[in-house]
Amino acid sequence: MITIGDILSFEKTFNIVIPSSLKRLYLKYNGGEVEFSDASTYDFASIKYGELTLGGLVQNLIIDENVIPGNFLPFAVTGVGHMITIQMDSVVNNKIYLFRYDELEPILLANSLEELLGVDSIDEL
């Protein structure tokens, strides 16, 4: 389990504000396998603990390699290594996109994390 303090520490370190729905999901499940509404199971990065961390994804994909724009937060990985991200900016917030290595543009998967997970609220999980 993680605490809100762990999330706040991540946000301070990377100067990122995690959308509230994703924060609630992290507080319930700090990473691991998550089944999405399309019945696919993806590896969900953890805030801390384990090999696949949110900080590692941000460092590698946004800061070091610059392959994902800074207004997208990668939080899960598909079985073939594509990134599931949540968009974070003032105009469009919380839409979920897939970044594929063989595509130039991100693909919209869902209008919200809840829609992607097939629930009305993260609290239902």
Side-chain angles (χ1 to χ4, degrees), residues 20-22 24 37 94 96 110-122:
S20 61
S21 59
L22 189 56
R24 288 193 316 275
S37 60
N94 299 332
I96 307 298
N111 289 310
S112 68
L113 185 59
E114 291 84 357
E115 180 182 311
L116 183 72
L117 295 170
V119 296
D120 291 327
S121 167
I122 297 300

Side-chain angles (χ1 to χ4, degrees), residues 7-24:
I7 292 174
L8 294 173
S9 177
F10 167 86
E11 290 178 326
K12 183 178 179 182
T13 299
F14 290 99
N15 195 28
I16 290 174
V17 176
I18 298 172
S20 61
S21 59
L22 189 56
K23 280 182 188 177
R24 288 193 316 275

Side-chain angles (χ1 to χ4, degrees), residues 95-112:
K95 290 192 177 193
I96 307 298
Y97 287 86
L98 175 71
F99 276 82
R100 294 176 48 133
Y101 289 109
D102 56 349
E103 296 283 332
L104 295 177
E105 297 295 321
I107 300 165
L108 178 66
L109 294 179
N111 289 310
S112 68

Side-chain angles (χ1 to χ4, degrees), residues 69-100:
N71 62 324
F72 291 89
L73 178 62
F75 67 91
V77 181
T78 69
V80 295
H82 300 309
M83 294 294 126
I84 306 292
T85 66
I86 190 165
Q87 189 171 11
M88 306 175 303
D89 61 39
S90 60
V91 177
V92 179
N93 199 15
N94 299 332
K95 290 192 177 193
I96 307 298
Y97 287 86
L98 175 71
F99 276 82
R100 294 176 48 133

